[in-house]
Structures are given as C-alpha cells and as structure tokens.
Amino acid sequence: MSKNMEKIVALCKRRGFIFQSSEVYGGLQGFWDYGPLGTELKRNVREAWYGEMITDHDETAIPVGAPQAFQMVGLETSIIMHPQVWKCVGHYDLFHDMMVDCRECKARFRADHVPTSQCPLKPSKHPGEHDNCNLTEPREFNLMFKTTLGALGGDEDAVFLRPETAQGMFVNFKNVLDSSRVKVPFGIAQIGKSFRNEITPRNYTFRSREFEQMEMEFFCHPDQSRRWYEYWRNRRMQWYLKLGITSDNLRLREHDADELSHYSVGTADVEYAFPFLNAGEYGELEGIAHRGDFDLRSHMKGKLMEDENGCLVVELDEHGKPKYPGSGRELTYFDDQTREKYVPHVIEPAAGADRATLAFLCEAYDEDQQPDEKGKLKVRTVMRLHPRLAPVKAAVFPLIKKYGMPEKAIEIYRELKGAGIACFYDQQGAIGRRYRRQDEIGTPCCITVDGETAQDGCVTVRDRDSLVQERVPVGEIVQTVRERISG
Ligand code: GAP
C-alpha cells in the first residue's frame, strides 16, 4: 500500500497524537504539540533510545561487532549555554542557510527550496514564476534563535537557544571524566530540545523550529576511530529495524568523500522513505558522524579553520589573535596504562526524536479489509506500531455492561496498571467498534470479559495484527500481555 500522508496527519489529529502548536490562534509554523497518545508514543521512543544507549548497556560485555567493551553515561545540559560555545565551534559564523525574500508578497524561502516551493500569489507556480514576483538575491540567514540574558539587554547580553544538544556533552567532557571515572572508550548521551529558526519548516514535524534530539558523543582513541565509526553506523541502523521499520523503507547513505570535512573518516545518514517524498526519495532520520577531535580542540584553543593544506588551525583576527578564543582548559585524556596523553576522537550518532516518531507513525499506518458485525467487509485502519512503542499496550472491555462483567474487567484493568502496563478501560459502544478504536491507535492486545468468564475464569485476548482470539485464564493475563509486548 502506498501510504497517504494526508490520512496519517488526519489520524494523528483525530486521535490525539500531534496537534499544530497554538492552533486556536491559527498555529505557529514549525512548532508542534503532542497530544495524549503522541506524548506516550514519543516517551516510548525516547525510552527505547535511552535504554539502548544507557540503561540496558552492559559495560562488562563486548557487544556484537564492537572492538571492545565500553562505558556509557547520560547527561542533561542547559538549553542556553555560554555564547562562546557557539563562536568556538563555528555556529555563530557558519550555521546559516541561504534565503530568498519576495519583496512583493514578503514570503521567505530557503534558496535551495525555491524550485519546489509554492508561490503564495499563485500556488500552482514556484516563487519567481509569477509576473508580480520580485525575489531578492540569496542572502545568509543564521539559524540560531537569539535571546537576551538579564534585564539590560545590550548586544553583549545576546545568548542563543542551542541548535544541537551535542555541545553540552563536549564542554562537560572533563567534568564527566573527573566525576564518573569513565575510561576511553566511552559515550555520553543526552536527549533534549534543540531550536533552529528554519526558513521553511515543512513536511509536518520533519523540519520543525523546535525539536528534540537524541545524541551521543563516543570518545575513543584516534587509531580506533574508524572501527568505532563502522560499529556505531551499523548499530544505529539496527535500532530502527528492531523497532519495526522495514528494510525496504530504510537505507544507510554514506556521504561521498567530497562531502566530508578533511578530518572526518566518514559520515553516514540513516534515511527513511517518508510518504511525503517522491518515490525513490529518502529523508534523514539520523546522522552518524566521525567528528575527529574538532569539538574538543575548538573548546580548548578557539575557533578552528582549514588552512591551505586542509589542516585545522586556529582562526586569527586582524590583530593576529584567535578570532574566538577557546576556554584554555585541557580537554585531553591521559591513559594511565599506556601513559599516553591525547585528544580523543569522537563518533556522534545524532538522531531526532520527532523524526523517529514520525517515521514510526508513517511505517505503522495500514489499512486492511475486515468484516463488521454484520459480516460486511469494511476498511480497517490499523497502526501496526511495535508493541514497545505503542502508547496503550492493552485495552480491557466488558462485552456488555451487566452481569458483573464491568466489575471483572475493571479488576483486570487495575491488575495490569499495578504491573506497570499502560492500559485502557472502555465499556462504550459495540465490541467491534471498540476493537477498531484500539486498532487505530496501535494497541497490541484487547482483552474482553464475556459471559463465559464467570464459568471458565478465562478472558478473550485479541491480537491487533493477526486478529486471532485466544482464551487466557484471568490469573495469567499480566504474564500474557508482558510476553506479547516484550518483542
Ligand atoms: N550534532 C549534530 C547535529 O545536530 P544534524 O544532522 O543537524 O546533526 C541531527 O541533526 C538530527 O536532528 C537529524 O538527523 C534530525 O533527526 C534532527 N533534526 C535536525 N534538524 C531538525 C529539524 N529542523 N526538525 C526536526 N528534526 C531535526
């Protein structure tokens, strides 16, 4: 089935996954709110990522494909950081897109999006094609949101909302080393909001102005960095496959050599065939980058630039002083076994929580034909979310609202809740409609208390995907649901 983005967007609104931010005031472009179900789904995405990176990581074992065992720690850093951070790593000077304005209609476009954007004066045309269009030459536009610190608000008080979470981990490299006694190789991971003043936010939540990143900085010996790069590239690809993205819709695209910075061994993007793209096109879900020692060196010495030989050197101002001086701190690592001191190289898998959530929603959307109560074939919309990601794991229904069925169903509902399983109780409407309401939000199991339950002590457990219904003793219901959602 080729997926229809409009239907996915409509379902997300109707069932409370995603809403336009400030919708009552007409919305704010590039900002989104997650509804009750979307909040649970995104929380599950974050937890799956954090579990993979930190909670479930066994530092005493060598994971399959890894060069050796390693440690992983979490971090949570501030959104507003010292402005020198962004000056030293280049965002202040270089983090911009080229934009084009229309003097006639005042619309703004990213220069590279002009050929695919709609002219606001005539949507069937592209900007520049209408007789009245009056476009400016492409101009630089910094993507960082600027705000002001303190009450005075001069230019020297300007600070920025972080455009990536990564720098919070680099500037805390030494703090983490000193406080948690980790040894290279190790990773620091965090999940948090990032902000980019995208010129043309588009494609639903794909390109937003406020979004959440799930990033990890893996510090390793420079001689080992190629092996770690390959390890993390492959491992990150597997994460999406494990959570239900089919390999047909996913690809790992290695950047061409001419796309790489000279110090980088490689960068690869995990890409997904989002339904809003043309057939054969893919959108970035995550980038896995070899960043060399660029960030740690920048924070030690100051903003770096490439010299004529392609080597990284400190950029100087007109007085021959560093244009943006670094912290002057020693962000090196001393290996007390080999007695070697070095600046570690870094492999960075940088994922987007919103993009991953959107990909899981798109992948899950499906329609099939199922007989209704009268045996007539009807289209069923079903979200085939991986059970780990599904916002509701089990729904509990009494078949009818009498003969003690609601009481028994509530008892089961409470038992599931007590076991920490996200579940939902519903006694409204025909049973078929209740099943379909759950299919539409991706609930893997529906449990029905019926007339037989009082006699045989069993309930019916219906599987969302196979639609198979099985009788299960009430005493085994928690275990059964756990087994079904643990996949
Ligand atoms: N620290 C490296 C870094 O930030 P990036 O490729 O710019 O790299 C990493 O961002 C991930 O963050 C992307 O692969 C994407 O999933 C997410 N992301 C970036 N910009 C985004 C935006 N405007 N809206 C939603 N997600 C975005």
Side-chain angles (χ1 to χ4, degrees):
M1 183 194 71
S2 83
K3 309 219 179 188
N4 178 322
M5 199 60 209
E6 275 157 34
K7 286 189 182 176
I8 295 171
V9 172
L11 184 145
C12 285
K13 170 143 198 233
R14 187 172 70 248
R15 298 307 311 269
F17 281 97
I18 299 173
F19 306 129
Q20 169 86 68
S21 162
S22 321
E23 197 194 57
V24 288
Y25 289 105
L28 189 62
Q29 231 203 336
F31 296 89
W32 298 94
D33 295 337
Y34 286 82
L37 290 176
T39 300
E40 296 310 310
L41 171 62
K42 197 170 155 197
R43 199 162 68 91
N44 293 339
V45 171
R46 281 192 215 103
E47 275 172 14
W49 185 87
Y50 202 78
E52 168 87 4
M53 290 301 186
I54 308 285
T55 334
D56 304 340
H57 177 67
D58 176 355
E59 63 184 45
T60 65
I62 304 177
V64 179
Q68 65 180 92
F70 55 91
Q71 291 167 288
M72 298 286 280
V73 293
L75 207 65
E76 201 173 307
T77 68
S78 65
I79 285 172
I80 295 179
M81 302 174 72
H82 195 293
Q84 201 66 8
V85 168
W86 309 113
K87 290 181 177 164
C88 285
V89 290
H91 286 74
Y92 185 78
D93 282 353
L94 304 170
F95 193 54
H96 52 237
D97 276 343
M98 299 306 282
M99 58 150 200
V100 165
D101 284 307
C102 178
R103 297 184 189 92
E104 175 68 22
C105 70
K106 311 290 178 228
R108 177 168 280 181
F109 309 95
R110 233 170 84 167
D112 58 333
H113 287 171
V114 166
T116 53
S117 298
Q118 291 180 332
C119 169
L121 299 175
K122 192 155 193 220
S124 60
K125 291 187 181 277
H126 301 303
E129 291 178 355
H130 189 274
D131 288 346
N132 292 351
C133 290
N134 185 357
L135 301 185
T136 62
E137 286 302 309
R139 291 183 288 184
E140 283 179 3
F141 175 78
N142 195 295
L143 297 182
M144 285 198 295
F145 278 103
K146 204 177 187 178
T147 185
T148 311
L149 204 63
L152 294 176
D155 242 13
E156 62 287 3
D157 297 323
V159 288
F160 304 91
L161 303 192
R162 67 180 175 201
E164 60 170 20
T165 59
Q167 295 309 322
M169 295 180 269
F170 287 117
V171 298
N172 276 295
F173 168 71
K174 205 74 180 167
N175 283 337
V176 171
L177 261 189
D178 294 346
S179 60
S180 46
R181 299 176 59 227
V182 285
K183 289 198 184 311
V184 168
F186 71 94
I188 309 179
Q190 82 167 315
I191 300 177
K193 290 267 188 174
S194 292
F195 302 81
R196 296 183 191 175
N197 199 359
E198 300 282 358
I199 298 165
T200 35
R202 50 158 69 182
N203 291 332
Y204 205 25
T205 59
F206 181 82
R207 190 179 305 288
S208 307
R209 288 177 165 143
E210 173 179 339
F211 54 95
E212 212 164 342
Q213 290 186 307
M214 308 186 290
E215 296 197 285
M216 194 270 285
E217 309 303 327
F218 191 79
F219 299 89
C220 58
H221 191 284
D223 295 348
Q224 288 277 308
S225 61
R226 177 182 286 278
R227 290 184 67 195
W228 283 113
Y229 166 67
E230 280 160 16
Y231 169 70
W232 281 110
R233 197 189 52 182
N234 299 338
R235 180 158 162 192
R236 289 306 305 148
M237 181 79 177
Q238 290 307 314
W239 185 76
Y240 294 96
L241 293 169
K242 257 189 329 202
L243 288 173
I245 304 277
T246 48
S247 53
D248 288 351
N249 289 333
L250 201 67
R251 73 173 188 190
L252 192 64
R253 187 183 71 84
E254 195 76 49
H255 285 208
D256 293 335
D258 60 1
E259 288 179 78
L260 297 176
S261 352
H262 82 284
Y263 55 83
S264 178
V265 167
T267 293
D269 289 341
V270 179
E271 297 182 330
Y272 179 67
F274 284 98
F276 49 75
L277 299 170
N278 295 322
E281 288 180 357
Y282 290 79
E284 180 188 327
L285 274 180
E286 169 164 352
I288 299 98
H290 182 292
R291 291 177 77 122
D293 60 4
F294 173 83
D295 303 84
L296 289 177
R297 266 179 69 197
S298 303
H299 290 307
M300 279 194 282
K301 310 270 184 221
K303 179 168 182 272
L304 302 173
M305 56 176 275
E306 277 185 34
D307 67 8
E308 59 281 6
N309 304 317
C311 293
L312 283 179
V313 292
V314 174
E315 187 175 342
L316 302 178
D317 65 12
E318 64 275 23
H319 310 294
K321 298 258 167 47
K323 183 175 180 194
Y324 299 123
S327 65
R329 295 283 182 86
E330 265 284 286
L331 303 179
T332 51
Y333 179 73
F334 178 68
D335 186 325
D336 49 18
Q337 303 234 296
T338 60
R339 317 300 297 167
E340 188 187 359
K341 186 170 135 180
Y342 59 93
V343 182
H345 278 202
V346 171
I347 312 303
E348 177 195 71
D354 305 271
R355 278 200 196 166
T357 302
L358 182 59
F360 290 127
L361 279 167
C362 292
E363 183 74 22
Y365 186 92
D366 197 10
E367 289 173 7
D368 61 12
Q369 301 257 342
Q370 296 300 334
D372 66 8
E373 291 81 21
K374 294 177 191 131
K376 213 170 140 210
L377 276 187
K378 285 264 172 73
V379 173
R380 174 181 79 132
T381 301
V382 51
M383 277 294 204
R384 299 193 194 277
L385 286 166
H386 189 282
R388 177 140 193 214
L389 301 179
V392 178
K393 312 294 184 202
V396 189
F397 312 139
L399 184 62
I400 50 175
K401 283 191 262 181
K402 47 188 176 180
Y403 308 130
M405 290 182 215
E407 290 76 5
K408 190 72 198 166
I410 288 173
E411 212 179 280
I412 294 170
Y413 162 81
R414 288 185 182 149
E415 205 187 328
L416 288 165
K417 279 242 148 180
I421 295 169
C423 58
F424 182 78
Y425 175 78
D426 188 7
Q427 59 175 32
Q428 295 305 327
I431 190 74
R433 288 188 52 204
R434 279 182 268 167
Y435 283 147
R436 271 187 289 285
R437 285 204 289 263
Q438 294 304 316
D439 291 341
E440 211 183 36
I441 62 166
T443 306
C445 317
C446 287
I447 298 157
T448 306
V449 173
D450 56 23
E452 306 280 293
T453 306
Q455 277 88 57
D456 66 2
C458 292
V459 287
T460 301
V461 180
R462 171 188 177 271
D463 180 83
R464 174 196 73 197
D465 295 329
S466 67
L467 298 176
V468 168
Q469 304 201 10
E470 221 186 300
R471 296 293 286 175
V472 174
V474 171
E476 292 172 20
I477 206 70
V478 168
Q479 181 60 17
T480 303
V481 173
R482 272 217 182 103
E483 279 165 12
R484 288 177 181 220
I485 64 177
S486 66

